Amino acid sequence: MQSEFLLLRETKKNLEFGHITNSSFRPHFHSHIEIYAVKSGQLEVFINNERQVLKAGELSVAFSYDVHAYNKQKDAEVYFLIIPTSFCGDFLQLVSDKYISSPFINDKKTFETVLYSLENMTQEKFYLNDISKQGYVYTVLGAILSLMSPQKMPEAQNSMLSSDILIYISNHFKEDLSLSALAAAFGYNPSYLSRSFHKTFGISFNEYVKMLRLREAILLLNKNDFSITDCAFESGFGSTRSFYRAFSEEFGCSPKEYLKLEKE
């Protein structure tokens, strides 16, 4: 699943919560924990390689760097909570050796606890102080923690380092950015960084940079202010040949054919 690193959310590191109806979000990931609770209707949720249509009384939990997406369903009433790691450090320590069998939860007691907290947070949004926010957040996380089983998981990833690396790539992908340059910037051996990057994000460094460049190229192409050659170089490709090859591999057509399809 092609996904986007949410740079703005990562750099701001804000606690976000609220109530939405009939919204969709394309595949994305970040270091935050993201929780959705369906009060009524249905919401289609994708987390990593799993998909489920959540019904009223069900939750989804996406942990740090899980790729997740949401598709609106008719008459869906949903509450959400997005927690930066700086807001839940103790929780991350507690779950470092635990796992949850599924990112989708239909436990009635857990749902009621989570929904109660999210409804109150939303209603009191403009009056909550930081301590009150933390209290509600820990009530939600505590309910989820009760469903997690003790099991030694693979070595925990360094969320802050992962975040810093992705932010660095987002700021420099239009340049001649190589794995060696990235490794030097963070003081790592390139081979180690390559393995760690793939293990943490489920995609190679080169594929990830190519994805960012292609997405940038699409944005430029749709503006109609640049030639295809300009779009290739402006988005970070070293040559038009490498751009055309990457574009064809990803979209199965040339940039001109893509623009024609978009217009139609």
Side-chain angles (χ1 to χ4, degrees):
M1 179 164 44
Q2 287 282 3
S3 58
E4 175 185 8
F5 174 60
L6 295 190
L7 177 64
L8 184 60
R9 175 172 293 162
E10 198 69 36
T11 52
K12 286 190 173 181
K13 300 186 182 300
N14 290 337
L15 178 72
E16 299 178 44
F17 54 89
H19 170 261
I20 58 173
T21 56
N22 302 334
S23 293
S24 295
F25 300 94
R26 64 187 182 186
H28 61 282
F29 63 98
H30 42 67
S31 67
H32 301 41
I33 297 173
E34 190 161 327
I35 299 166
Y36 272 66
V38 180
K39 184 175 182 179
S40 64
Q42 297 181 340
L43 179 71
E44 184 180 26
V45 181
F46 299 83
I47 298 181
N48 294 331
N49 295 319
E50 298 185 54
R51 168 197 174 275
Q52 186 160 312
V53 177
L54 297 185
K55 303 179 182 65
E58 296 181 334
L59 305 165
S60 68
V61 182
F63 289 99
S64 294
Y65 302 110
D66 285 345
V67 176
H68 48 287
Y70 307 96
N71 281 338
K72 64 182 178 182
Q73 302 287 311
K74 187 177 180 181
D75 299 325
E77 184 180 5
V78 180
Y79 286 85
F80 70 93
L81 176 63
I82 303 172
I83 314 167
T85 53
S86 58
F87 224 84
C88 55
D90 294 342
F91 174 79
L92 295 175
Q93 290 288 332
L94 289 171
V95 301
S96 61
D97 62 347
K98 293 180 175 61
Y99 81 106
I100 193 165
S101 58
S102 170
F104 310 113
I105 299 170
N106 61 7
D107 181 77
K108 183 179 179 181
K109 183 178 178 181
T110 302
F111 177 81
E112 289 175 349
T113 300
V114 171
L115 183 64
Y116 173 81
S117 298
L118 298 188
E119 284 184 323
N120 284 346
M121 289 178 76
T122 302
Q123 291 168 7
E124 302 169 12
K125 188 168 187 176
F126 298 106
Y127 307 100
L128 287 176
N129 56 43
D130 288 343
I131 293 176
S132 298
K133 290 177 184 177
Q134 191 109 39
Y136 280 123
V137 166
Y138 270 82
T139 298
V140 171
L141 294 177
I144 293 170
L145 179 63
S146 67
L147 300 177
M148 302 183 77
S149 303
Q151 176 174 309
K152 190 64 179 175
M153 299 297 287
E155 182 182 349
Q157 61 200 28
N158 183 327
S159 294
M160 184 57 69
L161 178 59
S162 301
S163 173
D164 289 345
I165 286 176
L166 291 174
I167 290 171
Y168 185 90
I169 294 173
S170 295
N171 289 332
H172 296 277
F173 73 88
K174 297 179 187 179
E175 304 166 13
D176 185 18
L177 181 62
S178 65
L179 182 64
S180 297
L182 182 65
F186 286 89
Y188 280 101
N189 175 279
S191 297
Y192 170 81
L193 184 59
S194 177
R195 292 192 304 271
S196 298
F197 191 96
H198 193 281
K199 181 180 178 182
T200 302
F201 305 116
I203 187 173
S204 72
F205 165 79
N206 288 333
E207 285 295 314
Y208 183 72
V209 172
K210 183 179 75 172
M211 180 185 73
L212 291 180
R213 288 171 175 169
L214 284 172
R215 181 170 286 127
E216 181 70 13
I218 290 291
L219 292 174
L220 294 175
L221 285 169
N222 285 327
K223 286 182 178 179
N224 295 318
D225 294 334
F226 298 91
S227 67
I228 292 177
T229 298
D230 288 338
C231 288
F233 287 109
E234 284 290 328
S235 55
F237 286 92
S239 67
T240 53
R241 182 179 179 183
S242 62
F243 171 62
Y244 274 91
R245 182 173 63 248
F247 200 98
S248 178
E249 289 173 352
E250 182 65 29
F251 300 107
C253 62
S254 70
K256 282 186 178 180
E257 290 168 335
Y258 177 89
L259 288 174
K260 182 180 179 182
L261 290 170
E262 281 282 290
K263 186 176 291 187
E264 291 174 356

